[in-house]
Amino acid sequence: STTFEFSNPVNQNHQLNVYTITGQKVREENLKSTPYTFYRENLHPGIYFYELKNEKTVVGRGKMMVE
């Protein structure tokens, strides 16, 4: 699993999108609370990119590896 922590003082809805290295979206999670634990079950080993955004802006981007 991976834990995401982000500032959310007004309790906005956020969306976490996870993509393969080729850009295919493999997961979409709607979340509001922080910290949020993302479970990587059903993802094949490899490198993935993520994007966390609220209704107005991208809050964070990064990559993670699944072994």
Side-chain angles (χ1 to χ4, degrees), residues 18-26 47-49:
V18 178
Y19 303 91
T20 65
I21 198 161
T22 61
Q24 177 186 7
K25 186 190 290 187
V26 293
I47 296 173
Y48 292 85
F49 296 96

Side-chain angles (χ1 to χ4, degrees), residues 45-56:
I47 296 173
Y48 292 85
F49 296 96
Y50 66 84
E51 178 180 70
L52 178 65
K53 59 185 179 178
N54 61 27
E55 297 166 355
K56 296 180 182 179

